[in-house]
Amino acid sequence: MDKVLEVKDLHVSFDTYGGIVKAVRGVNFDLKKGETLAIVGESGSGKSVTSKALMRLIPNPPGRISKGEILFDGRDLTKLSEKEMQKVRGKEIAMIFQDPMTSLNPTMKIGSQIMESLIKHQNLSKSAARERALELLRLVGIPQPEVRINQYPHQFSGGMRQRVVVAVALSCNPKVLIADEPTTALDVTIQAQILELMKDLQNKIDTSIIFITHDLGVVANVADRVAVMYGGQIVETGTVDEIFYDPRHPYTWGLLASMPSLDTSVQTELAAIPGTPPDLMHPPKGDAFAPRSAYALEIDFEHEPPMFQISDTHFAKTWLLHENAPAVEPPKAVVDRRRSMSANFAKPRLVEEAVR
């Protein structure tokens, strides 16, 4: 499968009065044509900063991409001028943000906001752009598009506003769509509708999606591959099945153990990850997760672990995978999930949980 995007050794820093915050520290990943890559992690792990760096939306100052490459269509986006990036944003790489109300201009009609991108990037006439805008509103499930196209954002519900934002993002058929927690501000019912909409539209326009979220239930329903971020780094990456049913990093274990399950045959307590995320103004010497991990080894506090390969698609950044490391058992919740999958084919149930 062809790669549409490659991120190599990406570093993003912010200059503050207290010092330099190293928000993203050596991130590597790729995105293949037509796939959905989910980037997950708790608040402060560097997910949103990474996504904004891909669009070159890091405000400078105080932020900057201090190192690394973002390769898209044979071009390194970090080397493009702002004028060149303006031709990429919206047309080739589009973004959906968390809150639809802050993504839409409250003083402009919905139709004008969709048409704006079509006129700028597709060179359509106003009449042709309006027809395309109506098509997009129908595509994302907005009822009575002929009426709604002349209305303002405040006249739409939260779920309908997010559908409009999706329409704006997809207006130019981008090759890459970045969705930065697009369902966080929505209730669960509407959240499921938006996720289903994105999956359906991806099949229709064959775009690749980077889905940023802290909700592992959402990941189970939408992603092909998952990258787990912690302390500004990717600590584990693999297919959905590998991350959910064969996780190897203690941080991934903690995330899964804290995820509720509707499987009544398995009785487990929700676990919490102790401690707080690292201070990225003074990044830790070894494994960033070591101070919060019950499985930390002495070497974790001295040397940063490399990425160990588990399979062709599965990698994890933990010394527990070293050949000389002691054998450890994951938390009970993770073991129970693996057993449940083997005995009861739990994955369909997990997906069902995600859309409820």
Side-chain angles (χ1 to χ4, degrees), residues 7-257:
V7 176
K8 297 182 178 182
D9 197 26
L10 181 66
H11 291 252
V12 181
S13 302
F14 291 87
D15 297 315
T16 70
Y17 290 113
I20 299 173
V21 177
K22 298 174 182 176
V24 175
R25 305 183 296 137
V27 162
N28 296 277
F29 66 86
D30 56 58
L31 181 68
K32 298 178 178 65
K33 185 177 180 180
E35 81 165 345
T36 298
L37 171 70
I39 301 179
V40 303
E42 62 192 314
S43 296
S45 59
K47 310 182 303 297
S48 292
V49 173
T50 298
S51 68
K52 289 180 174 65
L54 299 182
M55 294 279 283
R56 291 273 305 277
L57 291 175
I58 302 295
N60 185 4
R64 65 185 185 279
I65 297 174
S66 50
K67 186 182 177 184
E69 297 176 305
I70 303 169
L71 303 177
F72 175 73
D73 267 1
R75 295 171 291 173
D76 184 357
L77 300 186
T78 65
K79 301 288 195 297
L80 299 187
S81 66
E82 177 58 25
K83 190 171 183 179
E84 290 171 322
M85 271 307 299
Q86 288 174 5
K87 296 177 181 178
V88 174
R89 294 190 200 109
K91 183 179 181 181
E92 299 182 84
I93 304 177
M95 194 162 188
I96 302 172
F97 295 94
Q98 281 189 36
D99 186 356
M101 201 56 188
T102 58
S103 300
L104 297 170
N105 188 332
T107 67
M108 288 177 65
K109 293 178 180 179
I110 290 298
S112 299
Q113 298 191 53
I114 300 174
M115 290 164 59
E116 187 175 41
S117 181
L118 292 165
I119 293 169
K120 178 177 176 58
H121 293 301
Q122 301 290 316
N123 297 319
L124 297 183
S125 65
K126 279 193 175 182
S127 59
R130 181 182 173 82
E131 285 304 311
R132 177 61 179 154
L134 287 169
E135 286 177 24
L136 286 164
L137 290 176
R138 293 188 192 99
L139 190 65
V140 298
I142 300 289
Q144 299 180 297
E146 293 82 3
V147 176
R148 292 296 219 167
I149 197 170
N150 293 314
Q151 293 182 336
Y152 292 90
H154 72 271
Q155 295 174 280
F156 289 71
S157 66
M160 286 293 120
R161 282 197 290 265
Q162 195 62 297
R163 287 173 182 267
V164 171
V165 171
V166 172
V168 173
L170 296 178
S171 60
C172 295
N173 295 328
K175 293 179 181 178
V176 175
L177 176 64
I178 302 171
D180 187 3
E181 306 212 33
T183 59
T184 300
L186 307 174
D187 63 63
V188 247
T189 308
I190 304 303
Q191 183 180 100
Q193 292 176 8
I194 296 297
L195 293 175
E196 197 60 38
L197 169 67
M198 290 184 65
K199 284 176 63 180
D200 183 49
L201 292 176
Q202 183 183 27
N203 292 331
K204 289 179 179 176
I205 68 172
D206 196 29
T207 191
S208 303
I209 297 176
I210 296 176
F211 200 99
I212 312 292
T213 184
H214 63 271
D215 188 340
L216 282 171
V218 169
V219 168
N221 191 43
V222 302
D224 299 306
R225 287 192 300 130
V226 181
V228 180
M229 279 196 79
Y230 182 79
Q233 299 177 321
I234 290 178
V235 296
E236 186 165 6
T237 180
T239 66
V240 169
D241 284 352
E242 287 167 338
I243 297 300
F244 273 94
Y245 302 118
D246 189 26
R248 297 300 183 92
H249 197 284
Y251 180 61
T252 313
W253 293 347
L255 291 178
L256 289 168

Side-chain angles (χ1 to χ4, degrees), residues 302-323:
E302 296 296 328
H303 301 285
E304 184 179 312
M307 268 287 189
F308 288 92
Q309 183 172 357
I310 302 149
S311 72
D312 289 343
T313 54
H314 194 185
F315 300 82
K317 193 180 178 72
T318 170
W319 286 115
L320 292 176
L321 293 174
H322 191 276
E323 58 184 6

Side-chain angles (χ1 to χ4, degrees), residues 261-268 332 336-337 339-341 343-346 349 353:
S261 173
L262 296 181
D263 188 349
T264 55
S265 66
V266 178
Q267 297 295 326
T268 56
K332 184 176 182 298
D336 287 343
R337 188 181 295 282
R339 288 172 181 162
S340 177
M341 179 195 71
N344 303 318
F345 302 99
R349 183 177 292 130
E353 290 171 27

